[in-house]
Amino acid sequence: DPKVLAAAVAYTRVRALGFVGALLTVVLQSSSLVRRNVKLPLIAVAFASVLNAFGDWLLVIQLGMGVVGAAIATVIAQYATAGILWRSQQNYINERCDRSILKEKRQQLVRNCLSFCQRCISPALALVGKLSVVLTVSATASACGTVSLAAHQVLSSVFQMFRPMGDSLGQTMQTLLPGVIGNNNRNSIDSMEGIIVDDTGATGVTILSSNAMTVLKAMCKMAITLGLLDACMGTCLLGIFPGWFVKDAVVAQRIAGTSVLIGCVLLVHAVSMMLEGLLFAVGDAPMVARFYLLNAVLVQFLFGHVRRAGPTLPRVWGAFLAYQVVRASEFGLRLVWNQSMVTKKRQLWSKILDYVQTSHKQNAKELSSDGIVWSSSYDYQI
């Protein structure tokens, strides 16, 4: 439809101006979370939501600017969020940081920056995989017709509205677990903190102890609870009140018919994001990136089959649900694999040390029987 294409192009051109603000917001939000300042990002996002809603009312309803007005309101809200977080970051630097260090240790700072960029490769590849999936879903939905595409936009907006509740679980795992690991005793198998570090393990990542697994189970229950809450709100909102979003009865019917799939997607999304945050926190980011790149390829085949079979809105969101299930399964199986490999390694080392201790005692007895005094003490520890 030429009218839909023209509106989409106009909206995209304005939204492109907000990419810098959106990226800056993500970076500054991560910086605030690292400083354990969780309150400020929430305030900034809440302020941006109110500002965006006011901008939509003013520009779209009052001034009649249509999709361009909605895009302008969103861009303004993005830069407002970035401005709030930027101001907080500058205040923190002025109060806590010595700027003379920048001049004295330039080479060390350059090396640290290069090391930081190297660590960013895996998360960047993961984001590329996520973006590929989102673009594939949107491209397939656009082939369903104008009515289904309009319904898809509403479904996507509701998904984006409730998705942050699941994303917050992943961010919490990435923010808090490294601090717990850093304060831990590296030589204990089951420390009071519940986390140990095993740099010589077969997996080469931070391994959760039995106490940490208890915490993980609690986080899984929280993810399921939040996911069910998201699912119930999203399903009820779309299934019972589709007329709140559109006036067209046909589009509203398409929205209500796909509401259950949206609820299932939100439920699985919360669980998968919690597991993703855990894998990032324990240093398994390269494997997360591999999973996302693999899934990006598999999604192309999956949605290619959907397009050949005749794309419909339930098929599109059903395929997206399948992707969510596969992603959560991959992350869960990877966690189980890490634990099992370290358990096997410990069992092997335990057998080896038992054998060494037994041989030592036998040699001591033989030497004592020959009149040779053998006195030694060994402390074996895994």
Side-chain angles (χ1 to χ4, degrees):
D1 192 331
K3 294 183 179 179
V4 175
L5 179 60
V9 171
Y11 181 84
T12 303
R13 286 175 177 172
V14 177
R15 282 297 307 273
L17 300 175
F19 289 167
V20 175
L23 179 60
L24 186 61
T25 298
V26 172
V27 174
L28 294 174
Q29 187 179 41
S30 301
S31 177
S32 297
L33 293 175
V34 168
R35 303 197 309 266
R36 304 295 190 269
N37 187 357
V38 182
K39 184 178 180 180
L40 181 63
L42 292 176
I43 295 175
V45 170
F47 174 77
S49 300
V50 174
L51 182 61
N52 193 8
F54 174 76
D56 289 337
W57 173 81
L58 178 63
L59 299 176
V60 178
I61 298 177
Q62 298 298 321
L63 301 180
M65 297 179 65
V67 294
V68 175
I72 293 174
T74 302
V75 171
I76 293 175
Q78 288 175 333
Y79 279 102
T81 306
I84 294 173
L85 297 175
W86 176 268
R87 183 62 181 173
S88 173
Q89 180 78 7
Q90 291 301 310
N91 291 337
Y92 180 83
I93 292 176
N94 294 332
E95 294 175 1
R96 304 289 185 89
C97 300
D98 186 2
R99 294 182 179 271
S100 62
I101 298 178
L102 298 176
K103 298 180 180 180
E104 297 175 357
K105 300 182 178 181
R106 290 182 182 273
Q107 294 182 352
Q108 182 179 354
L109 289 174
V110 171
R111 288 194 297 268
N112 292 339
C113 289
L114 293 176
S115 176
F116 176 77
C117 292
Q118 185 177 4
R119 295 181 179 222
C120 290
I121 293 176
S122 294
L125 291 176
L127 289 176
V128 169
K130 290 182 181 181
L131 180 61
S132 174
V133 172
V134 172
L135 292 177
T136 302
V137 173
S138 299
T140 307
S142 65
C144 298
T146 304
V147 175
S148 295
L149 181 59
H152 174 75
Q153 293 300 321
V154 174
L155 297 172
S156 298
S157 299
V158 173
F159 173 72
Q160 296 296 334
M161 181 172 62
F162 289 107
R163 189 193 71 177
M165 294 182 66
D167 293 345
S168 62
L169 292 172
Q171 293 178 356
T172 300
M173 298 292 282
Q174 295 181 55
T175 303
L176 298 181
L177 274 185
V180 175
I181 294 171
N183 295 329
N184 224 1
N185 181 6
R186 296 175 62 90
N187 294 324
S188 65
I189 294 180
D190 278 309
S191 65
M192 296 301 293
E193 297 291 344
I195 308 289
I196 66 165
V197 178
D198 192 345
D199 291 331
T200 61
T203 57
V205 299
T206 304
I207 305 303
L208 304 179
S209 69
S210 58
N211 293 335
M213 291 302 296
T214 303
V215 177
L216 175 60
K217 292 178 182 178
M219 290 296 297
C220 288
K221 293 179 180 178
M222 184 180 298
I224 293 174
T225 301
L226 287 177
L228 287 173
L229 182 61
D230 278 350
C232 291
M233 291 190 298
T235 301
C236 293
L237 189 62
L238 294 170
I240 301 176
F241 307 106
W244 288 3
F245 303 95
V246 292
K247 296 180 180 180
D248 189 281
V250 179
V251 177
Q253 185 180 6
R254 298 282 178 88
I255 293 173
T258 321
S259 60
V260 176
L261 287 173
I262 296 295
C264 295
V265 168
L266 288 170
L267 172 60
V268 182
H269 174 78
V271 177
S272 62
M273 290 306 298
M274 185 274 298
L275 294 174
E276 176 190 311
L278 175 62
L279 291 178
F280 272 122
V282 300
D284 208 8
M287 182 56 66
V288 175
R290 294 189 189 102
F291 280 144
Y292 273 112
L293 294 178
L294 173 63
N295 291 339
V297 176
L298 295 178
V299 162
Q300 300 301 320
F301 288 100
L302 177 62
F303 281 88
H305 174 72
V306 172
R307 287 190 291 269
R308 289 190 298 270
T312 61
L313 205 56
R315 287 179 179 176
V316 170
W317 282 92
F320 188 53
L321 174 60
Y323 157 75
Q324 296 285 346
V325 172
V326 170
R327 181 176 66 163
S329 301
E330 289 171 342
F331 295 159
L333 291 175
R334 177 61 179 178
L335 176 63
V336 173
W337 170 266
N338 290 343
Q339 295 296 306
S340 62
M341 290 301 295
V342 171
T343 300
K344 292 179 180 179
K345 186 193 77 93
R346 287 178 177 171
Q347 292 175 351
L348 177 61
W349 274 107
S350 179
K351 292 179 181 180
I352 293 174
L353 292 177
D354 289 342
Y355 174 77
V356 172
Q357 289 177 341
T358 302
S359 300
H360 168 64
K361 292 179 181 179
Q362 291 178 352
N363 291 334
K365 290 181 180 179
E366 292 176 359
L367 292 172
S368 298
S369 62
D370 293 336
I372 301 175
V373 179
W374 182 275
S375 177
S376 181
S377 176
Y378 291 91
D379 182 15
Y380 295 95
Q381 186 179 18
I382 301 179

